[in-house]
Amino acid sequence: MSENRIYAHSGKHADRSDWQLLSDHHDAVSALANARGVKIGLPLAASLAGALHDFGKNDPAFDQVLQGRDIRVDHSTAGGWLALKQAAPKDQPTAEAIAYTILGHHAGLPDKLNDQNSCMTARIETFNRTTNPIPQNLIAQEPPDFAPISHELFAKCAGPNPAFNLSLATRMVFSCLVDADFRDTESYYAKIDAYDRPRDWPSLPDLLPDLRERFDNHMNRLPDTGM
């Protein structure tokens, strides 16, 4: 890896001058996810998911993937594993919710437990059994403050069915993460390929008056069939 830099996405230049640093990708996805989370009252949870989602790309083998080697590197488990490792026992439910979103940010939210190796329990156990290739100084980084994130998540659990409400909140965080990851990746490659794909569309409430007027005009032009 050039100058020990760790990359999230490869570019076109052999000197890697246009490759995206993993730290830049994590910062951008965290910020984008946070902005989307604000609208649903879950900015801190979404931000943490964004900050950890590609932690597995710190595996030196992933750099070979970026160079075009036909090898498989599971980069989606490590961030969830790290969240679970860093959280105190009282914050494990919060860390688990974050872990679900990270493990699923490419393939979809996993089950916690089933007879498949793709469930969260199996993936975390497999990660624990294998030799961790990620540098220890990165694993030992300062853990996030889970307390405000727990407060944010469990504020959504009020009502007669708290477990369902938590699962819904987790899905909302997942949606924030997936959207943020896609948008930052798309933006990065759009810059490399010099094309513009606007993604800041008007909100539906802003569009409705014009759409309603056009619908009414269309209906008024239809022939009266007497029905």
Side-chain angles (χ1 to χ4, degrees), residues 24-44:
D24 290 345
H25 180 55
H26 270 164
D27 288 347
V29 173
S30 180
L32 286 168
N34 179 286
R36 281 141 185 77
V38 165
K39 299 179 181 180
I40 54 174
L42 294 166
L44 300 179

Side-chain angles (χ1 to χ4, degrees), residues 93-105:
T94 298
E96 190 171 282
I98 300 299
Y100 274 119
T101 70
I102 295 172
L103 268 66
H105 78 272

Side-chain angles (χ1 to χ4, degrees), residues 118-135:
S118 58
C119 72
M120 184 165 76
T121 299
R123 288 172 64 178
I124 296 298
E125 288 179 350
T126 298
F127 195 91
N128 280 324
R129 286 196 304 268
T130 56
T131 301
N132 194 332
I134 297 174

Side-chain angles (χ1 to χ4, degrees), residues 148-196:
I149 303 173
S150 296
H151 177 77
E152 187 179 82
L153 271 173
F154 287 95
K156 300 294 183 182
C157 295
N161 198 337
F164 173 80
N165 291 341
L166 177 59
S167 72
L168 181 59
T170 301
R171 284 171 169 79
M172 293 299 99
V173 173
F174 173 71
S175 180
C176 292
L177 170 59
V178 172
D179 180 75
D181 186 27
F182 178 88
R183 289 195 181 217
D184 182 63
T185 303
E186 179 186 57
S187 176
Y188 166 71
Y189 282 110
K191 187 180 299 183
I192 287 179
D193 295 330
Y195 71 84
D196 182 33

Side-chain angles (χ1 to χ4, degrees), residues 77-101:
T77 299
W81 170 86
L82 183 65
L84 292 166
K85 174 181 172 61
Q86 291 181 324
K90 64 182 178 63
D91 292 316
Q92 283 298 307
T94 298
E96 190 171 282
I98 300 299
Y100 274 119
T101 70

